[in-house]
């Protein structure tokens, strides 16, 4: 069986391999379609592991050793001698519009892939929970709007809601722009109400952490978790203190415990402190002293005792499958791709303006962990993950930074305005700046990944 690390490596290799292939295939197919000779199509950098030549141009198709990118090498007089008979097929000899089309095809295919991935997922179906509010946080926009636990959300700004979290991207965008959100809900008593969430006080820095529920104050319904112990680790504090499978936790330090969430909350808040547990075992009351061990999570310590409960299965009526027909699914795929692209650009802009912490940037380690998780969950989850990363890759490559596709387009537009080629010296300096920026971004991403792991 694969370990968590194994799934992460597998997921990362699959994800990066697919997305690089899609991106480079965009450059490749448009270049060939516009009459440019392609010399090499490579997935990865460095030493070729697999090399095949095919086609009338004997194009080299390569799988290389370093899976951190790829490239399409075209015939170009700037990179070597070109026979006179083939100069008309050289990239540098093409008109500006053709060069721009070839360069933009890479990011363009990333967006097309995201649309296709979302379309397939929306047609096959996304499992979810019925959009019933389980908890409304105090002092939150949801509480101020008058939402209550038990309300069933039916529409958000006129958009039909079928499952909790279905409109997460849309709500994220509205919150980022401080736009009011109108929600139609059905109360427990069957009364239809319309409320408005005021999002003026929402800060981009809070949204960058990704906890939309805590920002809005809306939490989904969860089954009541009775604090009856079903698992005890013998060598952890609970096992050493004598806690047994079947024990019902009734009080901690004299405070009544209504459910497992309350028990877990008390344990987490008291690392290294002795707690007096009152439990009921076979109808008899018992007292146990358990000292939670301190476990570092992020920048703080939390308590753990090495015990857990069996989570009950959800009632059949709480599960929903959101599935659309081909046309509606395509419309939803286009909308989500647009929203994801727009959000990525806005968050990058706010990061430059220091309104969002650069800690939200993730690198290959975090991507690998999410990839591994999505692989374990299933095909639809992994496909949705690929769609999200493909959009991010497309947006990143459109940035006007030399060495990225957007930087090449920027130089071509300067060439068009100037009416002649940009000097090699200017291009060289631009590329040095671009490489420096990218290396700095990669180092920041790796640093964020490592600090998340070491916490």
């Amino acid at each position: 069986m694969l370990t968590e690390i194994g799934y992460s490596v597998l997921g990362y290799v699959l994800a990066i391999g697919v997305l690089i292939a899609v991106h480079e295939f965009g450059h490749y197919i448009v270049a060939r379609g516009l009459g440019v000779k392609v010399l090499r199509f490579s997935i990865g950098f460095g030493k070729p592991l697999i090399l095949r030549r095919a086609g009338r141009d004997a194009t080299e198709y390569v799988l290389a050793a370093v899976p951190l990118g790829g490239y399409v090498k075209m015939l170009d007089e700037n990179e070597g001698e070109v026979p006179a008979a083939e100069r008309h097929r050289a990239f540098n000899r093409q008109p500006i519009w053709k060069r721009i089309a070839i360069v933009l095809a890479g990011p363009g295919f990333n967006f097309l892939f995201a649309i296709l991935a979302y379309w397939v997922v929306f047609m096959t179906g996304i499992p979810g929970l019925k959009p019933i509010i389980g908890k409304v946080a105090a002092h939150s926009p949801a509480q101020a709007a008058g939402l209550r636990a038990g309300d069933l959300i039916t529409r958000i700004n006129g958009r039909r809601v079928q499952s909790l979290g279905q409109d997460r991207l849309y709500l994220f965008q509205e919150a980022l722009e401080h736009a009011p959100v109108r929600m139609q809900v059905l109360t427990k008593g069957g009364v239809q109400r319309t409320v408005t969430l005021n999002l003026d006080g929402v800060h981009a820095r809070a949204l960058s952490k990704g906890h939309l529920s805590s920002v809005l104050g809306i939490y989904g319904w969860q089954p009541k978790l009775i604090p009856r112990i079903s698992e005890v680790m013998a060598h952890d504090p609970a096992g050493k203190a004598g806690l047994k499978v079947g024990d019902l936790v009734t009080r901690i330090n004299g405070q009544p415990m209504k459910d497992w969430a309350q028990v877990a909350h008390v344990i987490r808040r008291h690392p290294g402190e002795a707690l007096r547990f009152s439990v009921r075992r076979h109808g008899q009351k018992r007292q146990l002293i358990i000292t939670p061990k301190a476990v570092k999570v992020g920048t703080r310590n939390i308590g753990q005792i090495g015990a857990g409960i069996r989570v009950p299965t959800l009632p059949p009526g709480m599960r929903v499958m959101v599935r659309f027909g081909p046309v509606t699914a395509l419309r939803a795929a286009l909308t989500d791709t647009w929203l994801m692209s727009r959000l990525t650009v806005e968050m990058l802009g706010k990061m430059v303006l220091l309104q969002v912490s650069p800690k939200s940037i993730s690198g290959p380690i975090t991507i690998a962990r999410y990839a591994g998780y999505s692989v374990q969950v299933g095909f639809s989850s992994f496909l949705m993950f690929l769609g999200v990363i493909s959009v991010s890759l497309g947006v990143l490559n459109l940035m006007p930074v030399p060495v990225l596709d957007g930087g090449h387009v920027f130089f071509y537009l300067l060439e068009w305005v100037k009416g002649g080629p940009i000097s090699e010296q200017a291009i060289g300096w631009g590329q040095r700046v671009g490489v420096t920026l990218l290396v700095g971004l990669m180092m920041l991403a790796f640093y964020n990944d490592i600090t998340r792991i070491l916490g």
Side-chain angles (χ1 to χ4, degrees), residues 2 8 31 95 110 131 144 177 184 214 286 328 333 335 356 359 391 433:
L2 285 174
S8 295
N110 282 127
E177 296 181 354
Q184 289 182 332
S214 60
R286 293 178 179 268
T328 306
T335 300
V356 169
K359 291 182 179 179
V391 168
V433 171

Side-chain angles (χ1 to χ4, degrees), residues 190-418:
V191 178
Q192 188 83 38
R193 294 192 305 132
T194 300
V195 301
T196 301
L197 270 67
N198 184 346
L199 305 180
D200 284 343
V202 174
H203 197 280
R205 192 173 292 270
L207 283 171
S208 69
K209 297 178 181 177
H211 305 305
L212 187 62
S213 294
S214 60
V215 171
L216 301 180
I218 300 173
Y219 295 88
W221 178 90
Q222 290 183 343
K224 187 172 182 178
L225 304 176
I226 298 172
R228 187 177 298 281
I229 304 301
S230 63
E231 182 181 12
V232 178
M233 307 300 290
H235 301 293
D236 277 346
K240 291 178 179 179
L243 193 67
K244 303 291 185 182
V245 171
D247 286 353
L248 177 66
V249 180
T250 57
R251 292 175 181 270
I252 299 180
N253 286 353
Q255 179 185 355
M257 295 290 110
K258 297 179 181 179
D259 56 34
W260 179 252
Q262 191 178 3
V263 172
H265 179 70
V266 173
I267 293 170
R268 282 197 299 268
R269 292 189 60 180
H270 295 87
E273 299 180 29
L275 300 175
R276 188 175 71 257
F277 278 65
S278 298
V279 303
R280 187 175 293 278
R281 182 184 300 169
H282 304 307
Q284 296 182 348
K285 294 181 181 179
R286 293 178 179 268
Q287 299 289 326
L288 302 171
I289 303 298
I290 305 177
T291 303
K293 64 180 179 181
V295 177
K296 193 162 188 178
V297 175
T299 57
R300 63 191 183 96
N301 286 327
I302 66 168
Q304 289 184 2
I305 65 171
I309 65 166
R310 182 177 292 108
V311 178
T313 57
L314 292 172
M318 285 303 301
R319 296 182 181 276
V320 294
M321 179 67 76
V322 180
R323 186 182 287 115
F324 302 124
V327 176
T328 306
L330 180 59
R331 190 182 304 120
L334 288 166
T335 300
D336 273 20
T337 301
W338 163 248
L339 283 173
M340 190 69 199
S341 305
R342 186 175 168 186
L343 280 170
T344 303
V345 172
E346 289 191 23
M347 294 303 283
L348 285 172
K350 290 183 181 296
M351 202 173 295
V352 171
L353 297 173
L354 302 180
Q355 296 176 5
V356 169
S357 172
K359 291 182 179 179
S360 57
I361 295 176
S362 296
I365 299 174
T366 299
I367 292 173
R369 293 174 71 180
Y370 279 108
Y373 172 75
S374 64
V375 165
Q376 294 178 68
V377 171
F379 176 74
S380 292
S381 176
F382 184 61
L383 200 56
M384 184 69 80
F385 170 79
L386 287 180
V388 171
I389 301 299
S390 192
V391 168
S392 299
L393 188 61
V395 171
L396 179 66
N397 271 281
L398 286 177
M399 292 174 64
V401 176
V403 310
L404 293 178
D405 294 328
H408 291 304
V409 171
F410 177 72
F411 279 130
Y412 299 149
L413 291 176
L414 284 181
E415 180 181 335
W416 176 69
V417 171
K418 181 185 174 186

Side-chain angles (χ1 to χ4, degrees), residues 163-205:
S163 75
L164 204 65
Q166 176 186 339
D167 284 296
R168 187 176 182 279
L169 273 179
Y170 177 74
L171 280 172
F172 203 103
Q173 180 68 52
E174 296 299 287
L176 196 62
E177 296 181 354
H178 307 294
V181 173
R182 293 175 67 253
M183 282 191 177
Q184 289 182 332
V185 298
L186 194 65
T187 67
K188 289 180 180 179
V191 178
Q192 188 83 38
R193 294 192 305 132
T194 300
V195 301
T196 301
L197 270 67
N198 184 346
L199 305 180
D200 284 343
V202 174
H203 197 280
R205 192 173 292 270

